[in-house]
Amino acid sequence: MLENSYHSNHMRTSKYLLATTKETPSDAVVISHQLMLKAGLIRKLASGLYSWMPTGLRVLKKVSRIIQHEMDNAGALEVSMPVVQPAELWHESGRWEQMGSELQRFKDRHERDFCLGPTHEEVITDLVRNEISSYKQLPINLYQIQTKFRDERRPRFGVMRAREFVMKDAYSFHADQASLELTYELMYETYTKIFDRLGFTFRAVEADSGNIGGNRSHEFHVLADSGEDEIVFSSENDYAANMEMASAAAPADNKGASTQDKKLVATPDTSSIEDVCTLLHVRPEQTIKTLIVLGEKSGESAEGQNDQALIALILRGDHHLNEVKATKIPGIQSPLSFADEKQINAVLGCKPGSIGPVDMPEGIRIIADRDAANLADFVCGANQDGHHLTGVNWDKDCKVGEVADLRNVIEGDLSPDGKGKLSIKRGIEVGHIFQLGNKYSQAMGLSVLNENGKSIVPEMGCYGIGVTRIVAAAIEQCHDEKGIIWPDNIAPFHLALIPLNAHKSEQVSQLADKLYRDLTDAGVEVLYDDRDKKTSPGVKFADMELIGIPHRLVISERSLEQDKLEYKHRGDTDSQDIPLEGALDFLTNKILSVNA
Ligand code: ATP
Ligand code: MG
């Protein structure tokens, strides 16, 4: 089956909006963003808002069609839900209050609250609670490919992180957990098929499932240096997780014995771990840093002041706090918020750079990361501006409090099972699958009757793919200094047909017209560069390479003298001469076999 079944499969550049440009706008920092603008795929309307030009839209539709095809094969049913959603549903789920400014809220002429859908759990749950009443109608998996709006804090990288973007979102409903797990596995396989068909080098990684707890979630990442996310792999087995979720093996309990006594040292003008290390000639691994965060709100005090406890999180100097892990610890405020200088000074009497666990005021809960808790003779802040303590030891000098995994893993950490080492790569998240459990069905009163006539609350799963982001990810993964190199099945056109000096040669122009008709009739999508003599061959070649059309056929008087045509694949360095006789078969075989 051709991907392009209802797309116009031929085009003359003279009647097309090619829209290629030489300039690279200064706000385009990643290569895909630059190339999408230069190749005339998209145009910016405002921050995070893009128009899709004819060439870009052809690619986007092909990506959508591959996704539709695989979702349909997996038995999912396509629906389409409104972009505009009434606030009532979001009140029911509790997300009207929970979501921050990413949720674009507005009022209609009757002063009723609405939002632009950033996702559709509420709407689909409402739909299903009205349509489905029996376990016999389950499981069901409904999907759509549709525009989402999120007022992202930092729209960037073009369509990679836009405010308006296209998502494929699917939602499944189940009578029990076992059924949810089957569909989850099926979606995992379906995503693997989709990303294979898109020609991606990708990895599925374990992801955090938020505050719902206990449920499974995987993200699918395209590997690319420009990716916004860090993903973590084991060298020895298939352990793979995103940075939020990744955990190293617990340190062996091999804390050295204390050999030093604690000593107060002056560390003026040091504000970072590096400064302290340079001054005291110690390695960051031998220091700890203390971060003060806010505990959960526990009501208002008599003066109307917020009675919020402070909590000390302790990490080894070379490690970084993992905010997702910290937020999961009961008692810590979510989203995580750090105490400000004033709050710290009021309680500890020093600036944030000088905090440490020794003589911490009563009432401050101390949580140490596993590796920080495993240190002996370490350096820490002295709770006194411009001073640190050296030779500090847990138990002897300060209480270790609680111990937890609080940190991001680093390159070379042991895998969680202790076998193999962790390595870190960058990825672009193109898909996310998630077991939601009954969070929405419960909150929104969705129930069905089971085989005993008893009312049960269905389990749900949700499955997203960033359709517009995929176009950018494909370019990140495949390009060279000349432009985009599309995988065959999402290329805007299969073949660039370029006659040289057609205005001078009747033979060239007639043959080009004929090949254009024949190729098109055979089902090849041809972009026929029939621009007149004002456009030089060099410009035509450069444009077609920039747009990334996989196959190129050049017709010139010179090669026709030898009954030859010039063929080149976008990925090849040199072109090859092919006999005129049989050229049509040569091309259709080459092109249609991979696009079938
Ligand atoms: P991210 O961590 O990148 O913000 P998310 O966790 O918010 O993603 P989901 O809510 O799971 O994303 O959305 C499903 C998919 O939609 C993502 O995997 C991603 O490919 C895509 N997506 C999310 N936000 C954007 C955006 N601002 N622009 C383009 N695509 C997006
Ligand atoms: Mg997001």
Side-chain angles (χ1 to χ4, degrees):
M1 192 199 70
L2 283 172
E3 318 290 1
N4 63 316
S5 27
Y6 61 78
H7 226 292
S8 159
N9 65 346
H10 56 93
M11 201 57 69
R12 288 171 181 266
T13 46
S14 59
K15 300 197 169 65
Y16 191 63
L17 185 57
L18 208 49
T20 51
T21 70
K22 285 216 174 63
E23 291 106 75
T24 309
S26 58
D27 66 334
V29 289
V30 295
I31 190 75
S32 59
H33 188 191
Q34 293 170 5
L35 288 174
M36 286 183 84
L37 292 166
K38 283 169 81 172
L41 268 55
I42 54 167
R43 286 293 181 260
K44 180 171 167 176
L45 174 64
S47 169
L49 304 177
Y50 291 89
S51 300
W52 286 78
M53 304 288 278
T55 309
L57 191 62
R58 292 178 71 97
V59 178
L60 187 63
K61 286 193 173 176
K62 287 190 179 184
V63 171
S64 301
R65 232 160 291 140
I66 289 175
I67 296 170
Q68 270 169 325
H69 187 225
E70 294 301 335
M71 290 301 290
D72 292 347
N73 272 350
L77 304 172
E78 189 170 4
V79 294
S80 180
M81 294 176 272
V83 172
V84 172
Q85 308 183 5
E88 287 78 45
L89 294 181
W90 289 75
H91 285 302
E92 284 189 55
S93 70
R95 288 208 287 186
W96 188 262
E97 293 75 26
Q98 274 162 26
M99 295 259 304
S101 328
E102 244 181 56
L103 184 67
Q104 182 70 54
R105 301 162 172 92
F106 65 96
K107 286 186 194 296
D108 71 359
R109 64 168 76 202
H110 306 293
E111 290 292 303
R112 284 187 292 243
D113 286 316
F114 285 86
C115 65
L116 294 179
T119 172
H120 278 68
E121 280 84 4
E122 281 80 0
V123 175
I124 197 85
T125 307
D126 177 62
L127 190 78
V128 167
R129 77 180 160 187
N130 293 326
E131 297 303 322
I132 290 197
S133 53
S134 161
Y135 76 97
K136 286 186 195 145
Q137 296 166 284
L138 302 181
I140 190 164
N141 191 0
L142 301 169
Y143 82 96
Q144 62 176 348
I145 292 182
Q146 185 246 22
T147 298
K148 300 280 184 270
F149 189 90
R150 296 179 181 181
D151 197 3
E152 295 276 355
R153 190 164 49 92
R154 254 188 103 191
R156 54 182 184 156
F157 305 158
V159 298
M160 197 100 89
R161 183 164 299 282
R163 296 198 294 164
E164 189 175 305
F165 59 98
V166 178
M167 196 198 286
K168 186 284 296 175
D169 46 330
Y171 307 88
S172 67
F173 296 82
H174 309 269
D176 53 39
Q177 174 68 22
S179 163
L180 168 58
E181 271 162 35
L182 283 179
T183 298
Y184 187 83
E185 290 304 324
L186 179 61
M187 282 297 106
Y188 188 105
E189 286 161 25
T190 303
Y191 275 38
T192 304
K193 280 189 197 147
I194 291 169
F195 298 129
D196 275 338
R197 277 182 73 178
L198 291 170
F200 281 154
T201 306
F202 68 97
R203 285 293 292 265
V205 303
E206 283 175 36
D208 176 52
S209 54
N211 299 326
I212 301 160
N215 296 321
R216 292 177 67 207
S217 169
H218 284 89
E219 288 169 357
F220 289 76
H221 286 265
V222 166
L223 303 185
D225 292 338
S226 59
E228 284 185 290
D229 296 313
E230 284 184 316
I231 49 181
V232 179
F233 312 87
S234 165
S235 58
E236 295 280 299
N237 51 41
D238 12 309
Y239 178 76
N242 68 12
M243 185 52 90
E244 292 177 346
M245 186 75 174
S247 200
D253 190 10
N254 58 357
K255 179 163 46 171
S258 131
T259 61
Q260 300 175 11
D261 287 323
K262 82 168 193 288
K263 188 170 143 217
L264 185 70
V265 291
T267 48
D269 307 323
T270 57
S271 57
S272 66
I273 293 279
E274 292 81 71
D275 294 346
V276 173
C277 288
T278 313
L279 185 73
L280 301 179
H281 304 293
V282 290
R283 282 173 300 120
E285 299 91 286
Q286 212 41 51
T287 68
I288 63 165
K289 57 185 170 195
T290 307
L291 307 167
I292 306 289
V293 299
L294 303 184
E296 273 167 3
K297 292 199 174 92
S298 61
E300 310 265 306
S301 71
E303 296 82 45
Q305 275 191 328
N306 217 325
D307 181 20
Q308 237 171 320
L310 299 185
I311 299 174
L313 304 179
I314 295 182
L315 292 153
R316 218 169 72 183
D318 59 324
H319 286 155
H320 289 286
L321 179 69
N322 181 308
E323 299 199 4
V324 171
K325 291 180 185 174
T327 311
K328 278 192 196 154
I329 296 176
I332 292 183
Q333 180 177 301
S334 165
L336 196 69
S337 42
F338 292 90
D340 59 27
E341 277 202 31
K342 228 173 97 205
Q343 285 167 304
I344 289 171
N345 198 40
V347 179
L348 292 159
C350 67
K351 293 212 175 80
S354 302
I355 313 171
V358 179
D359 298 328
M360 189 104 352
E362 279 297 314
I364 295 191
R365 185 175 157 199
I366 299 177
I367 308 173
D369 177 68
R370 298 176 307 186
D371 294 279
N374 209 31
L375 288 179
D377 295 335
F378 57 84
V379 174
C380 64
N383 296 325
Q384 192 181 325
D385 282 341
H387 287 83
H388 277 74
L389 293 166
T390 61
V392 180
N393 285 281
W394 295 112
D395 301 330
K396 194 169 117 195
D397 304 311
C398 52
K399 282 201 308 259
V400 73
E402 298 154 61
V403 177
D405 176 10
L406 286 180
R407 70 172 176 94
N408 283 340
V409 301
I410 54 176
E411 189 84 34
D413 274 339
L414 278 184
S415 298
D417 62 1
K419 297 189 196 99
K421 293 211 164 135
L422 296 179
S423 66
I424 301 170
K425 285 203 171 117
R426 300 206 76 87
I428 301 168
E429 183 195 322
V430 287
H432 193 179
I433 60 175
F434 208 102
Q435 294 189 10
L436 289 169
N438 60 18
K439 176 179 156 128
Y440 295 93
S441 42
Q442 183 87 54
M444 297 182 64
L446 161 64
S447 66
V448 300
L449 296 180
N450 71 5
E451 65 255 50
N452 305 318
K454 217 179 114 231
S455 175
I456 55 162
V457 178
E459 301 290 323
M460 286 172 62
C462 73
Y463 318 94
I465 289 184
V467 184
T468 38
R469 186 181 282 183
I470 279 178
V471 177
I475 297 172
E476 285 296 330
Q477 206 158 66
C478 229
H479 62 267
D480 62 12
E481 67 290 344
K482 292 178 186 143
I484 302 167
I485 306 177
W486 291 111
D488 267 87
N489 57 357
I490 57 170
F493 296 93
H494 299 143
L495 179 93
L497 178 63
I498 308 178
L500 297 189
N501 295 319
H503 60 285
K504 284 196 209 146
S505 163
E506 194 65 6
Q507 197 196 4
V508 169
S509 74
Q510 276 181 7
L511 181 65
D513 282 351
K514 181 173 173 354
L515 274 170
Y516 177 50
R517 275 194 310 273
D518 291 350
L519 285 161
T520 303
D521 287 348
V524 176
E525 295 172 48
V526 182
L527 182 59
Y528 179 11
D529 202 342
D530 65 345
R531 283 178 286 180
D532 65 15
K533 61 181 175 198
K534 283 197 267 345
T535 310
S536 73
V539 167
K540 292 183 180 182
F541 292 158
D543 271 348
M544 297 303 147
E545 284 179 322
L546 174 61
I547 299 171
I549 300 177
H551 306 271
R552 183 183 88 184
L553 188 70
V554 176
I555 307 172
S556 68
E557 220 161 27
R558 196 163 46 113
S559 54
L560 281 183
E561 275 165 18
Q562 296 159 16
D563 290 323
K564 296 261 167 67
L565 298 170
E566 258 178 72
Y567 167 82
K568 183 175 174 296
H569 189 272
R570 177 66 179 81
D572 297 341
T573 29
D574 297 311
S575 61
Q576 67 183 98
D577 285 339
I578 58 166
L580 178 56
E581 168 108 36
L584 188 65
D585 282 346
F586 172 89
L587 292 167
T588 50
N589 280 339
K590 234 182 178 30
I591 295 167
L592 298 178
S593 59
V594 286
N595 286 287

